[in-house]
Amino acid sequence: MVSRVNVPKGGFNFDNYQRNLILQQNGYSMPKATKTGTTITGMKFKNGVILGADTRATGEALVQDKNCPKIHRMAPNIFCCGAGTAADADKVTDMVASQLELHRLATGRESRVTTVLATLSQYLFRYQGHVAAALVLGGVDVDGPQLFSVAPHGSTDKLPYLSQGSGSLSAIAVFEERWRENMERDEAIELVKDSIKAGIFNDMGSGFNIDLVVIEKGRADFYRNIETPCPTIEKIGNYKFQPGTTAVLSESFRNFVTITEGDAMDIS
Amino acid sequence: MSILEYNGGVVLAMAGKKCVAIASDKRFGSNYLTISMNFPKLYQATDKTFIGFSGLATDVQTLIEKFRFHINMYRMNEERDIEPNTLAHLVSSTLYERRFAPYFVEPIVAGLDKNNDPFICGMDLIGCTTMNYDFSATGTGEDQLYGICEPLWQPNLEPEELFEAISQAIMSATNRDCMSGWGAVVNNTRESDHAYAEDPHGLIGLLLVRQINAVRIETLHLYAKLLTDQSLADVSIRNIMTVAVRHREVFYDVVSSCGM
């Protein structure tokens, strides 16, 4: 007998809400989700926009990820950095990127930064700040280079240089001192790197490596780990245990053999 | 106390050279009372992939059944097993769906991809993926695990060395955490076609005609206390001999079924 499977319709599911509420009322505290901590920045330069981010993801005081990618590709010409609750920033940027791809296929045109801005801010406002993502959005489209930031409650800012995250104060200080209009590409890259470094060294929630993306008309260069101001020190000692050190109670083996004849199916 | 600490438990995964190991402790408790000392938190998703869940046990069991369904449906639709990367994203989406009323689990997906390269992905309770290349830990003893893994892990660990590293790490960490322990289960998955080299019957020539991709999974149950008994050094050699014999058995079965 075949019974119909309920395919989820998308959107959030609140099935566990009552159970979780009862648990909370019985004195069990709700766990904290991974936050990005973060220093994310963006600035406009002569021919386009540069976005930069650090790579630390924290769960309260513990570092969960030492090389977390915070710069998300929304479109070939539009990138977005995410701060706040890591899952929210990841999922909201992925969702909007998918919608944007479908939109590009439907319209046959290059995506616009204002499209992304409207989608993100309307979505975040709808959830009244509970989807806790703070984003720095930049890209180059038919209207030229554009740089925006979106706050968790849905408000937006349009500025020549921006920063978000726990390290935003340190980063914006660097911009306030050294930003000028129409900077050259190399000088601008150095400025963004310095702003992220200010966050990395002065903010506990930011750290490790610097990611950068330079967006110009018709091209975007993504530099993953362009600089590592906090390199891992090489271990001098060898901590390998001799095989057989650990006592084993019982063991079982299973072998799985796949024989491929001819061309294997392409599963890339 | 946080709801994630109610039942207790830890999961740890580590990557080596063409191998990956995932381990969990075996304690199952109700607050401070231990109910069972044989409750491993690992689920074998496919031949080459495992998911380990730490957190509230009821949600662990619910999600194991949910993912069993999804993985079987995937296999029926695609006529192949799900890749660990894809599975990690599936788990992440399933958790994020409950963003505002979450499942209280923090899973780790660990497995070998289609090229038998290790893949590890840890997640928080709402599906934020952290794709570490070295190791990933979740559970009540997470801090202790991260602390011991940092020095013990190094790149390109061979399967035997990886087993030692992960076992010592989980045993040491659970010793310093009240809510987990009572031993550990380690699942060590590795590529192992080089074991065929010792076959003395000259059938090695046939192996070159076909691409053979063998994956070996060992499930090892460990003592609760650290022991460094010299006689146990023989254990690993026994492992290899046993495996070589089993490989031959498997190989003969395969060859005979192909009508050679």
Side-chain angles (χ1 to χ4, degrees):
Chain A
M1 191 189 91
V2 176
S3 55
R4 216 164 38 155
V5 173
N6 285 331
V7 179
K9 286 192 286 284
F12 291 117
N13 188 318
F14 290 90
D15 283 349
N16 285 340
Y17 182 75
Q18 197 158 28
R19 172 200 77 159
N20 291 4
L21 192 65
I22 290 168
L23 285 169
Q24 204 168 5
Q25 283 164 355
N26 283 338
Y28 294 102
S29 57
M30 288 295 113
K32 303 277 194 313
T34 307
K35 299 189 83 80
T36 53
T38 302
T39 309
I40 50 174
T41 60
M43 67 169 264
K44 280 198 211 167
F45 72 107
K46 187 170 179 183
N47 297 325
V49 170
I50 303 184
L51 302 177
D54 75 308
T55 59
R56 174 179 285 181
T58 53
E60 286 169 62
L62 176 70
V63 174
Q64 298 281 3
D65 197 346
K66 294 188 272 193
N67 207 0
C68 156
K70 298 185 193 176
I71 302 186
H72 309 277
R73 187 180 151 280
M74 307 295 274
N77 58 323
I78 306 172
F79 284 75
C80 184
C81 306
T85 301
D88 288 334
D90 284 348
K91 291 289 188 279
V92 84
T93 48
D94 283 347
M95 185 191 74
V96 175
S98 307
Q99 280 183 15
L100 216 59
E101 173 111 32
L102 290 169
H103 193 250
R104 271 203 300 286
L105 289 167
T107 57
R109 291 187 168 93
E110 190 187 54
S111 301
R112 300 194 187 192
V113 186
T114 42
T115 316
V116 184
L117 181 71
T119 319
L120 284 170
S121 69
Q122 284 164 18
Y123 180 82
L124 292 175
F125 179 75
R126 187 148 58 99
Y127 286 96
Q128 289 292 298
H130 289 287
V131 176
L135 308 155
V136 169
L137 170 67
V140 178
D141 57 18
V142 287
D143 300 316
Q146 288 162 85
L147 180 67
F148 299 101
S149 81
V150 189
H153 285 261
S155 62
T156 60
D157 291 297
K158 181 177 179 184
L159 289 165
Y161 53 89
L162 287 162
S163 69
Q164 287 279 0
S166 55
S168 60
L169 274 69
S170 315
I172 206 77
V174 176
F175 281 130
E176 291 292 354
E177 180 68 33
R178 286 162 51 185
W179 187 88
R180 292 177 339 267
E181 229 178 310
N182 289 328
M183 285 176 86
E184 291 298 328
R185 181 189 161 115
D186 291 331
E187 211 187 336
I189 289 176
E190 284 308 308
L191 179 56
V192 172
K193 274 201 273 178
D194 286 343
S195 72
I196 303 290
K197 264 190 257 185
I200 288 173
F201 291 127
N202 296 299
D203 174 42
M204 288 294 108
S206 312
F208 298 110
N209 313 319
I210 302 176
D211 290 347
L212 209 93
V213 65
V214 183
I215 314 167
E216 288 167 320
K217 181 86 189 157
R219 107 183 231 189
D221 299 311
F222 179 60
Y223 301 104
R224 174 88 166 125
N225 297 349
I226 190 174
E227 200 175 310
T228 49
C230 317
T232 337
I233 299 167
E234 282 290 315
K235 287 200 252 300
I236 303 170
N238 188 352
Y239 300 102
K240 277 188 198 176
F241 287 97
Q242 215 186 10
T245 311
T246 316
V248 176
L249 257 180
S250 69
E251 15 180 85
S252 66
F253 301 89
R254 260 184 292 180
N255 295 304
F256 301 94
V257 182
T258 31
I259 306 248
T260 326
E261 243 182 324
D263 297 323
M265 184 172 77
D266 180 17
I267 55 167
S268 49
Chain B
M1 139 171 311
S2 166
I3 190 61
L4 284 173
E5 293 164 12
Y6 181 74
N7 290 126
V10 293
V11 178
L12 170 65
M14 269 198 193
K17 192 172 168 182
K18 293 288 194 189
C19 60
V20 72
I22 188 167
S24 82
D25 73 315
K26 290 171 22 176
R27 179 181 180 271
F28 170 55
S30 172
N31 249 353
Y32 292 112
L33 172 70
T34 301
I35 299 177
S36 170
M37 300 174 305
N38 196 7
F39 187 77
K41 296 147 192 76
L42 303 175
Y43 170 63
Q44 181 162 20
T46 70
D47 287 349
K48 306 202 286 185
T49 314
F50 287 84
I51 323 177
F53 298 91
S54 69
L56 195 63
T58 172
D59 284 345
V60 168
Q61 293 185 328
T62 305
L63 283 173
I64 284 174
E65 291 305 307
K66 215 176 179 21
F67 291 126
R68 189 164 72 95
F69 164 72
H70 281 300
I71 290 159
N72 287 341
M73 287 307 298
Y74 188 93
R75 192 181 288 125
M76 282 208 281
N77 283 325
E78 303 252 336
E79 294 183 357
R80 62 181 175 97
D81 280 337
I82 191 169
E83 287 288 304
N85 197 349
T86 317
L87 180 59
H89 284 101
L90 173 64
V91 173
S92 171
S93 299
T94 310
L95 293 175
Y96 193 74
E97 197 188 5
R98 314 263 168 171
R99 165 67 174 88
F100 297 116
Y103 286 118
F104 298 113
V105 292
E106 292 186 326
I108 300 182
V109 175
L112 298 177
D113 65 12
K114 61 183 189 271
N115 300 319
N116 285 338
D117 286 320
F119 173 87
I120 291 180
C121 178
M123 267 168 259
D124 73 349
L125 80 164
I126 50 172
C128 165
T129 53
T130 50
M131 303 210 179
N132 294 320
Y133 65 91
D134 42 13
F135 51 84
S136 198
T138 59
T140 53
E142 186 181 28
D143 293 4
Q144 293 90 325
L145 278 169
Y146 276 121
I148 189 68
C149 284
E150 280 284 351
L152 286 192
W153 186 87
Q154 48 191 286
N156 294 323
L157 283 168
E158 293 296 323
E160 288 300 326
E161 293 167 343
L162 178 68
F163 167 68
E164 295 300 333
I166 197 174
S167 316
Q168 293 297 320
I170 199 166
M171 300 315 300
S172 309
T174 53
N175 280 349
R176 286 287 184 176
D177 175 33
C178 324
M179 308 301 281
S180 55
W182 291 112
V185 175
V186 180
N187 284 358
N188 195 340
T189 312
R190 66 178 84 165
E191 178 189 63
S192 53
D193 30 15
H194 52 263
Y196 290 107
E198 283 117 45
D199 192 299
H201 292 257
L203 289 166
I204 190 75
L206 291 169
L207 288 171
L208 300 172
V209 175
R210 297 164 196 269
Q211 246 179 313
I212 294 197
N213 214 353
V215 171
R216 181 156 69 99
I217 295 187
E218 305 157 11
T219 307
L220 299 138
H221 295 251
L222 308 176
Y223 281 112
K225 288 190 293 189
L226 293 171
L227 295 173
T228 43
D229 190 350
Q230 199 49 37
S231 66
L232 291 166
D234 296 328
V235 166
S236 59
I237 300 166
R238 257 207 332 266
N239 292 356
I240 295 168
M241 293 307 292
T242 322
V243 167
V245 167
R246 283 170 201 243
H247 269 287
R248 276 195 278 271
E249 288 165 11
V250 171
F251 175 71
Y252 286 145
D253 286 344
V254 161
V255 162
S256 60
S257 69
C258 290
M260 291 253 155

